mmCIF file of all heavy atoms in Angstrom:
data_model
loop_
_atom_site.group_PDB
_atom_site.id
_atom_site.type_symbol
_atom_site.label_atom_id
_atom_site.label_comp_id
_atom_site.label_asym_id
_atom_site.label_seq_id
_atom_site.Cartn_x
_atom_site.Cartn_y
_atom_site.Cartn_z
ATOM 1 N N ALA A 262 81.524 49.095 -2.003
ATOM 2 C CA ALA A 262 81.761 50.052 -0.907
ATOM 3 C C ALA A 262 83.263 50.068 -0.524
ATOM 4 O O ALA A 262 83.812 51.118 -0.170
ATOM 5 C CB ALA A 262 80.901 49.675 0.293
ATOM 6 N N PRO A 269 90.943 56.288 -8.219
ATOM 7 C CA PRO A 269 90.665 57.711 -8.506
ATOM 8 C C PRO A 269 89.411 58.213 -7.854
ATOM 9 O O PRO A 269 88.927 59.298 -8.193
ATOM 10 C CB PRO A 269 90.525 57.741 -10.018
ATOM 11 C CG PRO A 269 89.927 56.390 -10.351
ATOM 12 C CD PRO A 269 90.504 55.417 -9.367
ATOM 13 N N GLY A 276 83.984 54.371 8.329
ATOM 14 C CA GLY A 276 82.623 53.885 8.622
ATOM 15 C C GLY A 276 81.665 53.908 7.464
ATOM 16 O O GLY A 276 80.584 53.336 7.530
ATOM 17 N N THR A 288 67.838 47.834 3.326
ATOM 18 C CA THR A 288 66.892 48.006 2.197
ATOM 19 C C THR A 288 66.515 46.650 1.582
ATOM 20 O O THR A 288 65.414 46.424 1.120
ATOM 21 C CB THR A 288 67.515 48.916 1.143
ATOM 22 O OG1 THR A 288 68.744 48.345 0.696
ATOM 23 C CG2 THR A 288 67.781 50.299 1.686
ATOM 24 N N GLN A 304 50.326 33.875 -3.713
ATOM 25 C CA GLN A 304 50.141 32.468 -3.497
ATOM 26 C C GLN A 304 48.699 32.148 -3.060
ATOM 27 O O GLN A 304 48.095 31.190 -3.508
ATOM 28 C CB GLN A 304 51.148 31.936 -2.491
ATOM 29 C CG GLN A 304 52.558 31.811 -3.064
ATOM 30 C CD GLN A 304 53.524 31.228 -2.051
ATOM 31 O OE1 GLN A 304 53.394 31.526 -0.863
ATOM 32 N NE2 GLN A 304 54.479 30.448 -2.501
ATOM 33 N N ARG A 374 -33.353 -17.131 -6.059
ATOM 34 C CA ARG A 374 -34.062 -17.139 -4.794
ATOM 35 C C ARG A 374 -35.568 -17.401 -4.984
ATOM 36 O O ARG A 374 -36.214 -17.987 -4.127
ATOM 37 C CB ARG A 374 -33.863 -15.817 -4.086
ATOM 38 C CG ARG A 374 -32.528 -15.722 -3.369
ATOM 39 C CD ARG A 374 -32.364 -14.353 -2.696
ATOM 40 N NE ARG A 374 -31.123 -14.270 -2.006
ATOM 41 C CZ ARG A 374 -30.969 -14.635 -0.710
ATOM 42 N NH1 ARG A 374 -31.987 -15.140 -0.052
ATOM 43 N NH2 ARG A 374 -29.789 -14.538 -0.118
ATOM 44 N N SER A 405 -38.631 -39.097 3.468
ATOM 45 C CA SER A 405 -37.163 -39.033 3.443
ATOM 46 C C SER A 405 -36.690 -38.322 2.158
ATOM 47 O O SER A 405 -35.741 -37.509 2.211
ATOM 48 C CB SER A 405 -36.551 -40.448 3.498
ATOM 49 O OG SER A 405 -37.012 -41.249 2.421
ATOM 50 N N LEU A 482 -20.920 -25.530 6.169
ATOM 51 C CA LEU A 482 -21.472 -25.447 4.807
ATOM 52 C C LEU A 482 -20.347 -25.632 3.789
ATOM 53 O O LEU A 482 -20.471 -26.424 2.854
ATOM 54 C CB LEU A 482 -22.149 -24.074 4.620
ATOM 55 C CG LEU A 482 -22.501 -23.733 3.177
ATOM 56 C CD1 LEU A 482 -23.591 -24.668 2.679
ATOM 57 C CD2 LEU A 482 -22.976 -22.301 3.055
ATOM 58 N N VAL A 517 -8.608 -35.968 5.389
ATOM 59 C CA VAL A 517 -9.754 -36.581 4.695
ATOM 60 C C VAL A 517 -9.281 -36.956 3.288
ATOM 61 O O VAL A 517 -8.685 -36.125 2.567
ATOM 62 C CB VAL A 517 -10.955 -35.604 4.620
ATOM 63 C CG1 VAL A 517 -12.114 -36.290 3.885
ATOM 64 C CG2 VAL A 517 -11.400 -35.226 6.013
ATOM 65 N N PHE A 538 -10.861 -21.961 -14.040
ATOM 66 C CA PHE A 538 -11.279 -21.880 -15.433
ATOM 67 C C PHE A 538 -10.304 -22.613 -16.357
ATOM 68 O O PHE A 538 -10.058 -22.179 -17.465
ATOM 69 C CB PHE A 538 -11.431 -20.433 -15.893
ATOM 70 C CG PHE A 538 -12.418 -19.640 -15.099
ATOM 71 C CD1 PHE A 538 -12.008 -18.746 -14.136
ATOM 72 C CD2 PHE A 538 -13.779 -19.807 -15.301
ATOM 73 C CE1 PHE A 538 -12.901 -18.017 -13.384
ATOM 74 C CE2 PHE A 538 -14.683 -19.116 -14.557
ATOM 75 C CZ PHE A 538 -14.277 -18.206 -13.607
ATOM 76 N N GLN A 578 -5.778 -45.827 -13.474
ATOM 77 C CA GLN A 578 -5.902 -46.687 -12.279
ATOM 78 C C GLN A 578 -6.704 -46.045 -11.174
ATOM 79 O O GLN A 578 -7.301 -46.722 -10.344
ATOM 80 C CB GLN A 578 -4.505 -47.053 -11.749
ATOM 81 C CG GLN A 578 -3.691 -47.901 -12.686
ATOM 82 C CD GLN A 578 -2.370 -48.350 -12.086
ATOM 83 O OE1 GLN A 578 -2.215 -48.282 -10.863
ATOM 84 N NE2 GLN A 578 -1.455 -48.775 -12.910
ATOM 85 N N PHE A 584 -7.433 -33.598 1.727
ATOM 86 C CA PHE A 584 -7.313 -32.259 2.313
ATOM 87 C C PHE A 584 -7.190 -32.422 3.839
ATOM 88 O O PHE A 584 -7.588 -33.468 4.402
ATOM 89 C CB PHE A 584 -8.474 -31.360 1.957
ATOM 90 C CG PHE A 584 -9.812 -31.762 2.507
ATOM 91 C CD1 PHE A 584 -10.283 -31.313 3.740
ATOM 92 C CD2 PHE A 584 -10.655 -32.600 1.756
ATOM 93 C CE1 PHE A 584 -11.505 -31.689 4.226
ATOM 94 C CE2 PHE A 584 -11.887 -32.976 2.239
ATOM 95 C CZ PHE A 584 -12.324 -32.525 3.474
ATOM 96 N N MET A 645 -30.778 -3.942 25.752
ATOM 97 C CA MET A 645 -29.521 -3.599 26.393
ATOM 98 C C MET A 645 -29.375 -4.298 27.760
ATOM 99 O O MET A 645 -28.273 -4.734 28.132
ATOM 100 C CB MET A 645 -29.404 -2.094 26.599
ATOM 101 C CG MET A 645 -28.977 -1.345 25.354
ATOM 102 S SD MET A 645 -27.275 -1.769 24.874
ATOM 103 C CE MET A 645 -26.343 -1.148 26.257
ATOM 104 N N LEU A 691 -39.338 2.718 3.679
ATOM 105 C CA LEU A 691 -40.119 2.549 2.458
ATOM 106 C C LEU A 691 -41.612 2.731 2.707
ATOM 107 O O LEU A 691 -42.404 2.716 1.761
ATOM 108 C CB LEU A 691 -39.885 1.136 1.884
ATOM 109 C CG LEU A 691 -38.444 0.849 1.392
ATOM 110 C CD1 LEU A 691 -38.326 -0.606 0.982
ATOM 111 C CD2 LEU A 691 -38.097 1.770 0.240
ATOM 112 N N LEU A 707 -45.334 -15.967 10.118
ATOM 113 C CA LEU A 707 -46.302 -15.834 11.185
ATOM 114 C C LEU A 707 -45.784 -14.928 12.280
ATOM 115 O O LEU A 707 -46.560 -14.174 12.901
ATOM 116 C CB LEU A 707 -46.681 -17.205 11.742
ATOM 117 C CG LEU A 707 -47.376 -18.180 10.778
ATOM 118 C CD1 LEU A 707 -47.729 -19.472 11.458
ATOM 119 C CD2 LEU A 707 -48.638 -17.518 10.175
ATOM 120 N N MET A 736 -49.137 -21.249 3.582
ATOM 121 C CA MET A 736 -48.557 -20.941 4.897
ATOM 122 C C MET A 736 -49.566 -20.305 5.830
ATOM 123 O O MET A 736 -49.542 -20.519 7.034
ATOM 124 C CB MET A 736 -47.349 -20.024 4.748
ATOM 125 C CG MET A 736 -46.116 -20.643 4.114
ATOM 126 S SD MET A 736 -44.748 -19.493 3.995
ATOM 127 C CE MET A 736 -43.457 -20.543 3.358
ATOM 128 N N SER A 800 -39.431 -9.795 -0.309
ATOM 129 C CA SER A 800 -38.723 -9.653 -1.566
ATOM 130 C C SER A 800 -37.259 -10.027 -1.415
ATOM 131 O O SER A 800 -36.721 -9.990 -0.313
ATOM 132 C CB SER A 800 -38.839 -8.220 -2.079
ATOM 133 O OG SER A 800 -38.129 -8.037 -3.303
ATOM 134 N N ARG A 819 -16.344 2.821 27.338
ATOM 135 C CA ARG A 819 -16.035 1.771 28.295
ATOM 136 C C ARG A 819 -15.997 2.404 29.673
ATOM 137 O O ARG A 819 -15.424 3.506 29.850
ATOM 138 C CB ARG A 819 -14.701 1.102 27.995
ATOM 139 C CG ARG A 819 -14.398 -0.086 28.938
ATOM 140 C CD ARG A 819 -13.125 -0.789 28.532
ATOM 141 N NE ARG A 819 -11.968 0.051 28.663
ATOM 142 C CZ ARG A 819 -10.746 -0.313 28.283
ATOM 143 N NH1 ARG A 819 -10.565 -1.483 27.702
ATOM 144 N NH2 ARG A 819 -9.724 0.511 28.441
ATOM 145 N N VAL A 838 -8.565 0.502 7.918
ATOM 146 C CA VAL A 838 -9.815 0.088 7.256
ATOM 147 C C VAL A 838 -10.263 1.174 6.261
ATOM 148 O O VAL A 838 -10.658 0.882 5.140
ATOM 149 C CB VAL A 838 -10.924 -0.167 8.288
ATOM 150 C CG1 VAL A 838 -12.248 -0.414 7.599
ATOM 151 C CG2 VAL A 838 -10.553 -1.371 9.149
ATOM 152 N N GLU A 850 0.957 -15.828 4.791
ATOM 153 C CA GLU A 850 1.490 -17.051 5.358
ATOM 154 C C GLU A 850 1.929 -17.967 4.253
ATOM 155 O O GLU A 850 1.231 -18.142 3.238
ATOM 156 C CB GLU A 850 0.432 -17.731 6.218
ATOM 157 C CG GLU A 850 -0.032 -16.894 7.410
ATOM 158 C CD GLU A 850 -0.973 -17.677 8.264
ATOM 159 O OE1 GLU A 850 -1.258 -18.844 7.937
ATOM 160 O OE2 GLU A 850 -1.460 -17.132 9.270
ATOM 161 N N GLY A 855 3.243 -30.304 0.224
ATOM 162 C CA GLY A 855 3.389 -31.710 0.482
ATOM 163 C C GLY A 855 2.121 -32.361 1.013
ATOM 164 O O GLY A 855 1.301 -31.754 1.634
ATOM 165 N N SER A 860 -0.356 -40.579 2.943
ATOM 166 C CA SER A 860 -1.300 -40.425 1.847
ATOM 167 C C SER A 860 -1.030 -41.512 0.831
ATOM 168 O O SER A 860 0.093 -41.663 0.338
ATOM 169 C CB SER A 860 -1.160 -39.051 1.200
ATOM 170 O OG SER A 860 -1.570 -38.061 2.106
#
Side-chain angles (χ1 to χ4, degrees):
T288 59
Q304 285 182 325
R374 281 178 178 272
S405 60
L482 170 66
V517 179
F538 301 102
Q578 294 185 19
F584 66 90
M645 279 295 296
L691 296 174
L707 296 181
M736 289 181 176
S800 178
R819 184 176 65 185
V838 172
E850 297 184 1
S860 293

